Amino acid sequence: MNPPTDPRQLAIHSFTYDLPPGRIAPAPLPDRAASRLLVSRGGVIQDRTFRDLPGELPPGTLLVFNDTKVVRARLLAQRPTGGAVELFCLEPVAPHRALEPALAQTGACTWRGLVGNGRRWKEGPVAVEFTAPDGQPATLWAARQAREAGGTALLDFRWEPVYLTFAEVLHAAGHLPLPPYLGRPDTAADAVRYQTVYAAHEGAVAAPTAGLHFTPELLAELARRGVATAHVTLHVGAGTFQPVKAAQMAEHPMHTEPLIVTAALLRQLLAHRPRPVIAVGTTSLRTLESLYWLGAALAAGAPVGPELAVGQWQPYENAPDVAPDVALGALLRHLESTGTEALAANTRLLIAPGYRFRLVQGLITNFHQPESTLLLLVAALLGPGWRAVYDHALATGYRFLSYGDSSLLLP
């Protein structure tokens, strides 16, 4: 079997297109399922609405959703002199690095984040005044440690009342981190519409936007038609939607995102093979393909460290090529040996042209920014046909990016 082509030499400028600002959807449609749906099946393109999705899926499809929930990770603080500073929480650092215990932390914690309008923030803490869930006045203070490479900084938080969890602090004091290209503050409507209807596990700082089109009625229709469904959890990081700034992919550092899947999901994937698996969103797809690489490494006898992780270039570096069933089985045996029912890992997997898909046969996704890793993923799935899909969407009035229309991509 020929090894996959290494995408490190890809020029990101080869994956661009002209996206007029007026084609970026500024807000969601009143009805989630009323979005348009571009169906690309074997290179043949058809126009549908999202409500038509159940009838467009291949027979025997398993749909896999990412059930992460967006946290209010954006904080608008005040300097002692009255100036505004924006803090964007990206990932926990201390006393916990895992999201669940970090969000349950009380009193104080440290997160890695971005600071906006921080040039005049020389010293001393900045503060956010808010109302606690029990109606009491509350205050969050943030102090900045030394800046890090890449523009991030470590932010030391403390708050009163100290019995509040950090999740409660963010929910009461924070704002939804809407994509910056929307150019507007979040609203009460966004609190509902920038979450999927099946969101369950807090931890994302950006929405898995492909899932925003699903409604309870549409999910019920899928069930009525016998479409199998499953859930994974990948907490979407801010780096997911950032354009690539390096000229070649070898110079682009892929962001790390935590994922969680259950043993039941692994068993479901094994039982479903070889029928088609379609990922709802690029994050679900990256999670499923990361499961293959985690299992392939275990099946090949790779040493198991304290944290399971998939590297950015792992599929392209003479990685073991094992059957998907073998990889999934190795993951299940690993969970059984550790006596746990959930697998927690990290992934930096970059999927770009040259990648060979192991577990996924199709994708439901929105239309992505030029020169982004998400567009590279679509190009890996469709080959050169990605450009015909985007040309058609631009020529026929589709709405782009997070609140835009959708596509069903079946190569």
Side-chain angles (χ1 to χ4, degrees), residues 27-28 72 175-176 178 184-194 403:
R72 295 174 176 267
H175 295 262
L176 280 175
L178 293 182
R184 62 175 178 81
D186 60 316
T187 66
D190 292 312
V192 175
R193 296 302 302 277
Y194 199 61
Y403 275 145

Side-chain angles (χ1 to χ4, degrees), residues 363-390:
L363 174 66
I364 296 169
T365 190
N366 288 15
F367 297 95
H368 304 297
Q369 294 188 77
E371 300 185 9
S372 65
T373 58
L374 303 184
L375 189 57
L376 286 176
L377 186 153
V378 170
L381 185 70
L382 296 182
W386 76 266
R387 194 170 290 280
V389 166
Y390 274 67

Side-chain angles (χ1 to χ4, degrees), residues 4-74:
T5 303
D6 192 328
R8 274 175 274 206
Q9 303 309 312
L10 287 176
I12 192 60
H13 298 305
S14 300
F15 300 88
T16 192
Y17 65 93
D18 182 24
L19 178 58
R23 301 304 297 278
I24 299 173
L29 297 177
D31 177 4
R32 291 177 186 260
S35 296
R36 297 179 69 191
L37 178 71
L38 183 154
V39 179
S40 175
R41 184 181 283 104
V44 178
I45 297 173
Q46 296 175 305
D47 299 311
R48 299 286 186 264
T49 64
F50 201 80
R51 196 168 275 108
D52 298 324
L53 176 69
E56 296 294 333
L57 296 173
T61 287
L62 170 64
L63 281 183
V64 181
F65 299 86
N66 180 8
D67 62 7
T68 187
K69 190 173 186 178
V70 184
V71 296
R72 295 174 176 267
R74 184 168 160 261

Side-chain angles (χ1 to χ4, degrees), residues 85-112:
V85 174
E86 181 176 329
L87 309 176
F88 189 3
C89 300
L90 296 178
E91 59 182 5
V93 174
H96 307 286
R97 296 185 67 87
L99 272 166
E100 187 172 335
L103 289 170
Q105 177 67 26
T106 58
C109 62
T110 300
W111 280 57
R112 177 169 286 107

Side-chain angles (χ1 to χ4, degrees), residues 75-298:
L75 296 159
L76 304 180
Q78 297 291 320
R79 302 197 313 271
T81 56
V85 174
E86 181 176 329
L87 309 176
F88 189 3
C89 300
L90 296 178
E91 59 182 5
V93 174
H96 307 286
R97 296 185 67 87
L99 272 166
E100 187 172 335
L103 289 170
Q105 177 67 26
T106 58
C109 62
T110 300
W111 280 57
R112 177 169 286 107
L114 297 171
V115 178
N117 196 30
R119 285 179 292 178
R120 296 184 180 180
W121 182 17
K122 303 300 182 184
E123 59 184 19
V126 294
V128 183
E129 305 286 343
F130 64 100
T131 301
D134 59 5
Q136 299 298 311
T139 306
L140 170 72
W141 293 273
R144 180 175 57 184
Q145 297 184 23
R147 297 171 184 169
E148 301 177 311
T152 59
L154 295 184
L155 302 170
D156 295 324
F157 294 107
R158 61 182 178 87
W159 57 89
E160 293 179 356
V162 296
Y163 57 78
L164 296 176
T165 66
F166 196 53
E168 290 173 322
V169 170
L170 290 178
H171 191 269
H175 295 262
L176 280 175
L178 293 182
Y181 55 71
L182 291 182
R184 62 175 178 81
D186 60 316
T187 66
D190 292 312
V192 175
R193 296 302 302 277
Y194 199 61
Q195 301 279 14
T196 63
V197 297
Y198 49 81
H201 304 289
E202 284 195 326
V205 296
T209 56
L212 297 180
H213 307 281
F214 286 87
T215 64
E217 295 78 14
L218 187 54
L219 293 172
E221 175 64 14
L222 290 168
R224 189 187 69 79
R225 290 179 178 238
V227 176
T229 59
H231 292 85
V232 298
T233 304
L234 182 139
H235 293 308
V236 190
T240 294
F241 305 111
Q242 294 300 313
V244 177
K245 296 180 180 178
Q248 287 188 319
M249 291 310 300
E251 302 163 7
H252 174 72
M254 194 68 175
H255 53 285
T256 299
E257 291 172 316
L259 63 89
I260 302 170
V261 300
T262 63
L265 178 276
L266 297 174
R267 296 186 188 102
Q268 186 178 8
L269 288 172
L270 272 170
H272 189 79
R273 292 185 55 78
R275 291 169 291 173
V277 174
I278 295 180
V280 178
T282 57
T283 57
S284 297
L285 188 150
R286 288 182 64 242
T287 301
L288 290 167
E289 292 295 310
S290 294
L291 292 180
Y292 170 82
W293 292 107
L294 291 168
L298 291 172

